Amino acid sequence: MLQIEIDSGSGFCFGVTTAINKAEEELAKGNQLYCLGDIVHNGMECERLKKMGLITINHDDMRQLHNVKVLLRAHGEPPETYELARMNNIEIIDATCPVVLQLQKRIKQQYEAPASKSLPKATSDSLPKATSNSFPKAPSIVIFGKKGHAEVLGLVGQTEGSAIVIENFEEATRLDYSRDIYLYSQTTKSLDEFHRIIDYIQSHIAPTATFKSFDTICRNVANRMPSITQFAARHDLILFVCGRKSSNGKVLFNECLRVNPSTHLVEDPAEIDPQWLKGIKTVGICGATSTPKWLMEQCRDAIIQFDV
C-alpha cells in the first residue's frame, strides 16, 4: 500500500502567516482591501483570498488610489511607497516581516553613515568593474538577492538606488575589491552560497579596504534546509508543492532534487502525473514557506484517488 507523508516542517513562515491573517481580519469586517503585489508567491492561495474580496494591485494602480486601505505584504517596500500612501491619504496595513524590517533598518543606517553618502547610483542589471575608475572609492553596499524581487527592491530603496545587487557567486567575483564592501543578503537566499561569497570576498578584498558581512538570512528558511533534506532522502518520491515565483521555494526544491532525483515540483494537484507513482512505495509531500498546508493536503488527497 502506498504511504504518503506530509512534511510537518513545510508551510507558511511567520511573516506570510501574519500577512494573510491581517488580510483575513480586514476582509471579515467587510472592508475593501487592496494588496500591493501578490500577498504570497502561491497562485492557489492568492485565488482563495481573491474570492474573499482581496484586490491585488501594482504600484501604478496604487498611484491612482485615494482614501483606501492597502496591505503591504511580508516582502516589504521602499520608502517611496510610504510617501505615496501619505500623499494619497492611503491607510497602510503594514504586514512587512519583522526580519525584513530589521534588515531594511540596518541597510538604511549603513547608507546614512557619513562614508556612504557619496555612493554612486547603481543599476540593477550592471556591476562596477574592478578595473573601472568611473566610481568614487566610497563603500559598496552589496545585496545578495534576486534582481527585481519585491524584498530586494525594498532593500535597494533604503539606499536611494545605490546598492549593488548580485544574484550569484559569479557576479560577486566582478565587484570592485579596492572599495570597502558591506554585504547583506535577501532573507530567503541560500546560506551555503552566501558563505561561499563571503569567503571569496575575504580572500580578494584589497589590503586597504574593509569588508563586513551581515548574516541576514531568515533562520525560518535556513533551518528548513537540513530537515527537508532528511525528509526527501527517506522517501521514494517527493512532491514539492510550490508557486514557481517563490525564491525560497527554488532553493528548497533544488535541495530536495539534490538528495532525491525523483523530486517533482507542482503548483497544484492537477499537475501530478500518475505515471510518477508506478512502482513507488512512499511519497513525501513538502513545500516552501509560501505553500499553504491545505494545498499539500489536496495533493495528498489527489494521490489517494489514483489507482496505482
Side-chain angles (χ1 to χ4, degrees), residues 238-300:
I238 291 294
L239 280 184
F240 192 87
V241 187
C242 174
R244 289 183 171 85
K245 293 181 181 179
S246 172
S247 293
N248 115 277
K250 291 176 183 176
V251 172
L252 294 174
F253 168 73
N254 286 330
E255 181 64 13
C256 288
L257 189 63
R258 183 184 68 81
V259 300
N260 188 334
S262 296
T263 296
H264 302 274
L265 189 150
V266 297
E267 285 197 312
D268 59 62
E271 295 185 1
I272 301 173
D273 186 345
Q275 295 300 315
W276 297 341
L277 305 172
K278 297 294 185 182
I280 295 298
K281 294 182 179 179
T282 66
V283 175
I285 300 176
C286 52
T289 57
S290 55
T291 304
K293 285 283 188 183
W294 62 262
L295 185 54
M296 289 184 281
E297 291 170 352
Q298 283 190 357
C299 289
R300 175 202 60 200

